[in-house]
Amino acid sequence: MNKIIRFLTLILVTVSFSACENNIEFPDRLEEKYMVLYSMAEAGKPVLASVGESVFFLDDVPIQNWRKDATVSLYINGEFIEHLKVYDRNPPHQPVDGDEYYKSDAIVHSGDEVRIEASLPDFDEVASGSTTVPHPTLVADVKVISLVPNENGNGYYGKLQITFSDDKNSNDYYWVSAKKRAEYYPEHPDWPVNWADVKYEDKIFAEKFDYIIDAFGEPKRSYSYGFFDDRSINGIEKYPLTLGFYHNPEVSKGPLTFDISLCTIDENYYKYLKSYRQSFDNSVLQEPVQVHSNIKNGIGLVGSKANSISEELYQFDVAKKYD
């Protein structure tokens, strides 16, 4: 019966998409180099940026050529603030993932209009991008709502719930990341602590073709973060965002401990994340995807976010009786 369902689904998909196409625009010369600019402005923190140049996919060079010799200028609300300083280490978060990166002394705030301009000695034009730093949402509660034994008797499966408010007067975009402490031995404080990603199982993360993937029996994808817009929850004062997690008391002793981030992000960052993830989708149903860019005279992203989580770690009593 399952084979019949999958066969019928394949026919339906083939007919539905037979007239569909997704044209990707490419420059006349694919081997031409473009300046690459990635920058992230987070409310309450300095601005980070990475600058480099694109590479032709047939060239025997690193996947990304980041540069130290760029001039990176920061403008806030139309006023020039400073040239960013260059550093040699990996920034702690995407999309700024170069070996060399630039950092401001200035701190940006929600509502600021941030523009980044970057120039390199061997490029004639200045690359630039802009963003408006969003406001954080209100997180009403974070709690574990269930913790039950697995059917195979190996550990427990639980649900973590983050309740937050969505502004009905704006189109909002969110990014969430949560990790659970997976291995922890209080009697050995010198041992490393390992963290495991939660499962982004809330219905708001459902992809457009999830029902087709289910019909073909393809495995669910696993990600280290989730993102979504508020089209289905616009104006809900208390939306209970639900995440799943695995708990093994034999190796993770002490309280249930989570490292959580819930951020509002700007529209360009959302489009970048969505297209970037789709570009790595190896499903036969996925059309070619061009990764979103908001950079003038180059490619990349100038994005922004605001973290709504105030606590560094959330801890819950593992002995408590959950529903």
Side-chain angles (χ1 to χ4, degrees), residues 118-307:
S119 60
L120 286 168
D122 48 336
F123 283 80
D124 295 331
E125 296 180 315
V126 175
S128 63
S130 301
T131 182
T132 299
V133 183
H135 292 269
T137 188
L138 175 63
V139 175
D141 194 18
V142 178
K143 62 183 179 181
V144 173
I145 60 172
S146 69
L147 188 65
V148 296
N150 280 334
E151 293 181 356
N152 59 11
N154 183 19
Y156 296 81
Y157 189 76
K159 293 183 182 294
L160 176 71
Q161 195 171 84
I162 306 171
T163 303
F164 69 96
S165 300
D166 181 76
D167 185 357
K168 65 179 180 181
N169 298 315
S170 61
N171 297 324
D172 298 306
Y173 306 89
Y174 299 95
W175 177 93
V176 59
S177 173
K179 297 180 182 294
K180 179 190 173 297
R181 191 169 61 186
E183 293 187 41
Y184 176 66
Y185 302 90
E187 63 272 23
H188 299 287
D190 55 326
W191 288 12
V193 177
N194 294 322
W195 298 82
D197 296 322
V198 301
K199 294 183 179 297
Y200 298 92
E201 60 184 30
D202 194 282
K203 62 182 180 181
I204 206 167
F205 298 116
E207 299 179 10
K208 183 177 180 181
F209 297 114
D210 267 358
Y211 67 96
I212 298 177
I213 293 173
D214 288 341
F216 279 93
E218 295 185 21
K220 289 286 187 180
R221 303 177 184 92
S222 177
Y223 301 114
S224 60
Y225 61 89
F227 56 89
F228 55 94
D229 58 38
D230 69 347
R231 285 179 296 176
S232 62
I233 63 169
N234 189 39
I236 295 180
E237 292 186 4
K238 292 184 178 181
Y239 181 77
L241 182 71
T242 304
L243 311 172
F245 66 89
Y246 170 73
H247 175 63
N248 185 349
E250 297 298 323
V251 298
S252 182
K253 300 181 180 180
L256 298 169
T257 304
F258 298 89
D259 184 356
I260 303 170
S261 292
L262 175 64
C263 299
T264 50
I265 60 178
D266 76 324
E267 184 177 5
N268 280 304
Y269 190 14
Y270 170 79
K271 290 180 178 179
Y272 168 84
L273 291 172
K274 185 175 182 180
S275 59
Y276 182 81
R277 179 170 289 178
Q278 289 174 341
S279 69
F280 282 92
D281 188 347
N282 58 5
S283 171
V284 296
L285 305 173
Q286 179 64 55
E287 295 181 348
V289 174
Q290 187 165 344
V291 177
H292 177 74
S293 170
N294 67 336
I295 303 301
K296 181 180 179 182
N297 299 324
I299 54 177
L301 171 77
V302 172
S304 57
K305 64 180 181 178
N307 196 350

